[in-house]
Amino acid sequence: MPLKETERPADVREVDRFDGGVGWIAYPEETMQRASHALAVPSEDGGADDVWVIDPVDGEGVDDLLDDLGDVRGVVVLMDRHSRDAKAIADRYDVPIFVPSFVDPGLDAPTQPLGDTLPGTEFRVVRTVDWPIWDEAALYDGETLVVGDLVGTVEYFLADRERVGVHPMLRVAPPKALRRFTPERILTGHGEGVMNDGARALQEAADGARRRAPRVWLKGVTSFLL
């Protein structure tokens, strides 16, 4: 199984469908399991919902998923390593790319600053990781939490019976932001989301992050070497 695929996929796999959004994994066979999401929120003019595309990986079927939700308003990049296919999708829909002021994804495209909230929505923009080599934000409206790499559900993020796990590199010093969220659902940048009782899953992940770190590190080394 490749760590990360680069060829355009024949068909994406839909995940994380809920009343207000959808997710997809463009390369289901890759180890990284890069997940992308789109949030649909009521438009101010009462027409079709505004659709915000988060950290997207492009592929066949993505346009169908987005068009079913409403009108694409913009693309959002939550962290410095998640430029992914933001430019391709923004160009295709002729919409801006929004990036938090503290994130530099290195995009060869114009971007617009993302302030304290996602425009026209109740989603707050929360800084979750502030490292010299890592800047990341989350979107949170009290019910849905959207993250980049803060937590994930792929095998190399998880220890024991965790439903969602803190990123292996963050376990030694889990970000305090983990304690600020009590979501029902968690949409992650790697793996399928946690669609119910997300607050408990996140609390368990934060509580055991450091203690379980050695097991996660060992699992990660093993999985990437085999």
Side-chain angles (χ1 to χ4, degrees):
M1 181 182 296
L3 176 64
K4 178 180 178 180
E5 289 279 9
T6 56
E7 297 296 327
R8 186 176 175 87
D11 196 12
V12 302
R13 175 162 62 89
E14 179 183 318
V15 297
D16 302 344
R17 171 76 70 171
F18 69 104
D19 184 17
V22 70
W24 66 93
I25 296 177
Y27 300 94
E29 301 304 318
E30 71 176 10
T31 300
M32 294 182 70
Q33 291 285 288
R34 290 171 296 162
S36 314
H37 293 91
L39 302 173
V41 297
S43 63
E44 295 180 352
D45 62 10
D49 284 352
D50 289 335
V51 177
W52 293 90
V53 188
I54 318 297
D55 291 354
V57 179
D58 206 0
E60 297 297 330
V62 168
D63 290 344
D64 292 336
L65 290 176
L66 299 180
D67 294 344
D68 284 346
L69 290 179
D71 295 332
V72 175
R73 167 82 181 276
V75 177
V76 178
V77 177
L78 289 178
M79 64 177 297
D80 43 20
R81 297 190 301 275
H82 277 196
S83 59
R84 295 178 169 178
D85 295 318
K87 183 179 185 302
I89 289 181
D91 287 349
R92 197 155 70 237
Y93 283 90
D94 193 24
V95 295
I97 301 172
F98 291 82
V99 181
S101 59
F102 49 85
V103 169
D104 179 10
L107 277 164
D108 184 19
T111 63
Q112 294 190 16
L114 191 60
D116 294 334
T117 61
L118 189 62
T121 80
E122 296 183 356
F123 281 94
R124 293 186 291 115
V125 179
V126 182
R127 190 168 193 168
T128 54
V129 183
D130 180 12
W131 285 15
I133 60 170
W134 186 338
D135 291 301
E136 181 177 341
L139 300 177
Y140 182 56
D141 69 350
E143 182 177 6
T144 300
L145 173 66
V146 190
V147 302
D149 281 5
L150 178 67
V151 295
T153 62
V154 288
E155 185 66 19
Y156 61 89
F157 272 75
L158 302 176
D160 301 334
R161 298 181 180 179
E162 290 177 340
R163 297 173 63 206
V164 64
V166 177
H167 189 285
M169 289 181 61
L170 298 175
R171 282 181 176 260
V172 66
K176 294 180 180 179
L178 284 165
R179 307 287 185 179
R180 299 175 61 181
F181 306 120
T182 55
E184 173 63 14
R185 68 183 62 85
I186 306 169
L187 309 180
T188 81
H190 295 273
E192 296 186 20
V194 174
M195 303 307 288
N196 57 75
D197 203 12
R200 179 178 299 184
L202 194 63
Q203 179 179 339
E204 292 175 351
D207 288 346
R210 187 175 300 176
R211 183 177 71 256
R212 302 181 190 122
R215 277 167 279 179
V216 173
W217 296 337
L218 179 60
K219 181 191 297 184
V221 170
T222 303
S223 64
F224 287 125
L225 290 178
L226 295 179

